[in-house]
Short mmCIF file of all heavy atoms in Angstrom, two decimals:
data_model
loop_
_atom_site.label_atom_id
_atom_site.label_comp_id
_atom_site.label_asym_id
_atom_site.label_seq_id
_atom_site.Cartn_x
_atom_site.Cartn_y
_atom_site.Cartn_z
N GLN I 291 44.75 38.08 62.80
CA GLN I 291 44.85 38.97 61.70
C GLN I 291 44.86 38.23 60.41
O GLN I 291 45.13 36.96 60.26
CB GLN I 291 46.34 39.76 61.86
CG GLN I 291 46.30 40.69 62.99
CD GLN I 291 47.69 41.39 63.05
OE1 GLN I 291 48.79 40.79 62.84
NE2 GLN I 291 47.60 42.69 63.33
N ARG I 292 44.59 39.01 59.28
CA ARG I 292 44.63 38.41 57.97
C ARG I 292 46.01 37.92 57.64
O ARG I 292 47.01 38.68 57.86
CB ARG I 292 44.06 39.38 56.96
CG ARG I 292 43.78 38.88 55.59
CD ARG I 292 43.10 39.88 54.72
NE ARG I 292 41.79 40.22 55.27
CZ ARG I 292 40.94 41.08 54.73
NH1 ARG I 292 41.15 41.56 53.42
NH2 ARG I 292 39.77 41.35 55.31
N GLU I 293 46.13 36.74 57.05
CA GLU I 293 47.37 36.19 56.77
C GLU I 293 47.42 35.64 55.22
O GLU I 293 46.37 35.28 54.65
CB GLU I 293 47.74 35.10 57.66
CG GLU I 293 46.86 33.84 57.53
CD GLU I 293 47.31 32.68 58.40
OE1 GLU I 293 48.51 32.81 58.91
OE2 GLU I 293 46.57 31.72 58.55
N LEU I 294 48.63 35.59 54.74
CA LEU I 294 48.75 35.08 53.38
C LEU I 294 48.51 33.56 53.30
O LEU I 294 49.04 32.85 54.26
CB LEU I 294 50.14 35.38 52.79
CG LEU I 294 50.59 34.62 51.47
CD1 LEU I 294 49.75 35.25 50.37
CD2 LEU I 294 52.04 34.74 51.29
N VAL I 295 47.69 33.17 52.40
CA VAL I 295 47.57 31.75 52.10
C VAL I 295 48.47 31.37 50.84
O VAL I 295 49.32 30.45 51.08
CB VAL I 295 46.17 31.32 51.72
CG1 VAL I 295 46.09 29.87 51.44
CG2 VAL I 295 45.23 31.71 52.97
N ALA I 296 48.35 31.98 49.81
CA ALA I 296 49.06 31.75 48.62
C ALA I 296 48.94 32.83 47.61
O ALA I 296 47.82 33.37 47.54
CB ALA I 296 48.88 30.33 47.96
N TYR I 297 49.85 33.12 46.72
CA TYR I 297 49.74 33.91 45.60
C TYR I 297 50.43 33.50 44.40
O TYR I 297 51.37 32.71 44.50
CB TYR I 297 50.07 35.48 45.94
CG TYR I 297 51.50 35.75 46.14
CD1 TYR I 297 52.37 35.72 45.03
CD2 TYR I 297 52.11 36.07 47.32
CE1 TYR I 297 53.74 36.02 45.23
CE2 TYR I 297 53.42 36.39 47.57
CZ TYR I 297 54.33 36.34 46.49
OH TYR I 297 55.52 36.61 46.67
N MET I 298 50.02 33.94 43.25
CA MET I 298 50.74 33.57 42.03
C MET I 298 50.68 34.60 41.09
O MET I 298 49.64 35.34 40.86
CB MET I 298 49.96 32.33 41.38
CG MET I 298 50.63 31.69 40.29
SD MET I 298 49.88 30.17 39.67
CE MET I 298 51.06 29.41 38.60
N THR I 299 51.89 35.03 40.53
CA THR I 299 51.96 36.14 39.49
C THR I 299 51.49 35.47 38.15
O THR I 299 51.37 34.38 37.91
CB THR I 299 53.28 36.59 39.34
OG1 THR I 299 54.25 35.59 38.79
CG2 THR I 299 53.87 36.96 40.73
N SER I 300 51.23 36.49 37.22
CA SER I 300 50.77 36.13 35.90
C SER I 300 51.89 35.39 35.22
O SER I 300 51.58 34.68 34.17
CB SER I 300 50.28 37.31 35.10
OG SER I 300 51.33 38.35 35.15
N SER I 301 53.04 35.46 35.58
CA SER I 301 54.20 34.86 34.90
C SER I 301 54.47 33.49 35.57
O SER I 301 55.31 32.71 35.02
CB SER I 301 55.51 35.63 35.03
OG SER I 301 55.84 35.93 36.35
N GLY I 302 53.70 33.17 36.60
CA GLY I 302 53.72 31.69 37.17
C GLY I 302 54.53 31.57 38.50
O GLY I 302 54.59 30.42 38.99
N ARG I 303 55.07 32.61 39.04
CA ARG I 303 55.74 32.51 40.35
C ARG I 303 54.70 32.42 41.46
O ARG I 303 53.76 33.14 41.54
CB ARG I 303 56.65 33.70 40.56
CG ARG I 303 57.51 33.61 41.82
CD ARG I 303 58.51 34.64 41.93
NE ARG I 303 57.95 36.04 41.84
CZ ARG I 303 57.44 36.74 42.89
NH1 ARG I 303 57.56 36.23 44.06
NH2 ARG I 303 56.88 37.94 42.68
N THR I 304 55.00 31.43 42.40
CA THR I 304 54.11 31.23 43.45
C THR I 304 54.83 31.42 44.86
O THR I 304 55.94 31.33 44.93
CB THR I 304 53.47 29.76 43.45
OG1 THR I 304 54.57 28.82 43.49
CG2 THR I 304 52.84 29.53 42.11
N ASN I 305 53.91 31.61 45.87
CA ASN I 305 54.42 31.72 47.16
C ASN I 305 53.31 31.21 48.16
O ASN I 305 52.06 31.53 47.87
CB ASN I 305 54.82 33.14 47.54
CG ASN I 305 55.55 33.18 48.85
OD1 ASN I 305 56.44 32.38 49.18
ND2 ASN I 305 55.29 34.20 49.71
N TYR I 306 53.72 30.51 49.19
CA TYR I 306 52.67 29.94 50.12
C TYR I 306 52.93 30.33 51.50
O TYR I 306 54.22 30.42 51.96
CB TYR I 306 52.72 28.42 50.03
CG TYR I 306 52.13 27.85 48.72
CD1 TYR I 306 53.11 27.64 47.67
CD2 TYR I 306 50.89 27.49 48.55
CE1 TYR I 306 52.69 27.09 46.52
CE2 TYR I 306 50.36 26.98 47.34
CZ TYR I 306 51.25 26.80 46.34
OH TYR I 306 50.80 26.21 45.13
N GLY I 307 51.91 30.58 52.24
CA GLY I 307 52.16 30.68 53.74
C GLY I 307 52.62 29.36 54.33
O GLY I 307 52.37 28.25 53.83
N ASP I 308 53.39 29.47 55.41
CA ASP I 308 54.06 28.32 56.00
C ASP I 308 53.04 27.23 56.42
O ASP I 308 53.27 26.03 56.27
CB ASP I 308 54.93 28.67 57.20
CG ASP I 308 56.15 29.52 56.73
OD1 ASP I 308 56.55 29.37 55.52
OD2 ASP I 308 56.72 30.18 57.56
N SER I 309 51.99 27.65 56.97
CA SER I 309 50.92 26.85 57.50
C SER I 309 50.30 25.89 56.49
O SER I 309 49.62 24.87 56.82
CB SER I 309 49.95 27.52 58.39
OG SER I 309 49.12 28.49 57.47
N VAL I 310 50.26 26.28 55.24
CA VAL I 310 49.58 25.54 54.11
C VAL I 310 50.47 24.83 53.11
O VAL I 310 49.95 24.14 52.28
CB VAL I 310 48.59 26.49 53.44
CG1 VAL I 310 47.70 27.21 54.39
CG2 VAL I 310 49.30 27.48 52.48
N LYS I 311 51.74 25.08 53.24
CA LYS I 311 52.68 24.43 52.32
C LYS I 311 52.56 22.86 52.44
O LYS I 311 52.47 22.26 53.49
CB LYS I 311 54.17 24.80 52.66
CG LYS I 311 54.54 26.26 52.43
CD LYS I 311 55.91 26.62 52.81
CE LYS I 311 56.26 27.96 52.54
NZ LYS I 311 57.57 28.35 52.97
N GLY I 312 52.52 22.30 51.18
CA GLY I 312 52.39 20.92 51.08
C GLY I 312 50.90 20.45 51.12
O GLY I 312 50.69 19.29 50.86
N ARG I 313 50.03 21.33 51.49
CA ARG I 313 48.56 20.84 51.57
C ARG I 313 47.65 21.66 50.51
O ARG I 313 46.72 21.06 50.00
CB ARG I 313 47.93 21.17 52.88
CG ARG I 313 48.63 20.35 54.01
CD ARG I 313 47.93 20.44 55.35
NE ARG I 313 47.98 21.81 55.85
CZ ARG I 313 46.83 22.61 56.07
NH1 ARG I 313 45.71 22.08 55.84
NH2 ARG I 313 46.90 23.83 56.59
N PHE I 314 48.05 22.91 50.23
CA PHE I 314 47.26 23.77 49.28
C PHE I 314 48.03 24.01 48.05
O PHE I 314 49.27 23.99 48.14
CB PHE I 314 46.97 25.11 49.94
CG PHE I 314 46.03 25.09 51.07
CD1 PHE I 314 45.57 23.95 51.69
CD2 PHE I 314 45.54 26.27 51.67
CE1 PHE I 314 44.76 23.85 52.74
CE2 PHE I 314 44.65 26.27 52.79
CZ PHE I 314 44.27 24.98 53.30
N THR I 315 47.38 24.05 46.94
CA THR I 315 47.97 24.38 45.66
C THR I 315 47.25 25.59 44.97
O THR I 315 46.03 25.41 44.75
CB THR I 315 47.99 23.07 44.77
OG1 THR I 315 48.66 22.07 45.43
CG2 THR I 315 48.72 23.47 43.43
N ILE I 316 47.89 26.55 44.60
CA ILE I 316 47.31 27.69 43.80
C ILE I 316 47.67 27.52 42.35
O ILE I 316 48.75 26.98 41.91
CB ILE I 316 47.81 29.06 44.28
CG1 ILE I 316 47.07 30.18 43.70
CG2 ILE I 316 49.34 29.22 44.04
CD1 ILE I 316 47.33 31.54 44.40
N SER I 317 46.66 27.90 41.51
CA SER I 317 46.88 27.72 40.01
C SER I 317 46.11 28.87 39.39
O SER I 317 45.31 29.62 40.02
CB SER I 317 46.36 26.42 39.50
OG SER I 317 45.07 26.16 39.75
N ARG I 318 46.43 29.12 38.16
CA ARG I 318 45.79 30.24 37.44
C ARG I 318 45.38 29.81 36.02
O ARG I 318 46.02 28.98 35.46
CB ARG I 318 46.66 31.42 37.32
CG ARG I 318 46.95 32.17 38.59
CD ARG I 318 47.94 33.42 38.38
NE ARG I 318 47.26 34.41 37.33
CZ ARG I 318 47.38 35.69 37.57
NH1 ARG I 318 48.04 36.24 38.48
NH2 ARG I 318 46.87 36.50 36.61
N ASP I 319 44.39 30.44 35.54
CA ASP I 319 44.01 30.32 34.19
C ASP I 319 44.04 31.74 33.71
O ASP I 319 42.95 32.54 33.79
CB ASP I 319 42.58 29.72 33.91
CG ASP I 319 42.27 29.51 32.44
OD1 ASP I 319 42.81 30.15 31.63
OD2 ASP I 319 41.47 28.58 32.21
N ASN I 320 45.07 32.22 33.00
CA ASN I 320 45.27 33.63 32.57
C ASN I 320 44.17 34.00 31.53
O ASN I 320 43.71 35.15 31.53
CB ASN I 320 46.66 33.89 32.07
CG ASN I 320 47.70 33.95 33.22
OD1 ASN I 320 47.27 34.08 34.37
ND2 ASN I 320 48.86 33.62 32.90
N ALA I 321 43.81 33.03 30.70
CA ALA I 321 42.75 33.36 29.67
C ALA I 321 41.42 33.71 30.24
O ALA I 321 40.60 34.47 29.69
CB ALA I 321 42.71 32.22 28.69
N LYS I 322 41.14 33.16 31.40
CA LYS I 322 39.98 33.34 32.10
C LYS I 322 40.08 34.33 33.30
O LYS I 322 39.05 34.65 33.95
CB LYS I 322 39.30 32.08 32.65
CG LYS I 322 38.91 31.06 31.59
CD LYS I 322 38.28 29.90 32.22
CE LYS I 322 38.01 28.75 31.18
NZ LYS I 322 37.37 27.62 31.85
N ASN I 323 41.23 34.82 33.57
CA ASN I 323 41.53 35.77 34.61
C ASN I 323 41.08 35.21 35.90
O ASN I 323 40.34 35.89 36.76
CB ASN I 323 41.01 37.16 34.43
CG ASN I 323 41.60 37.82 33.22
OD1 ASN I 323 42.85 37.85 33.08
ND2 ASN I 323 40.84 38.46 32.36
#
């Protein structure tokens, strides 16, 4: 099934799936959406 990898809100809060914690990093450029 489809599973969460990571998400990030426009205010900067992040969350990661357990299987990728410590290996993957999510980031955003709000000016570029």
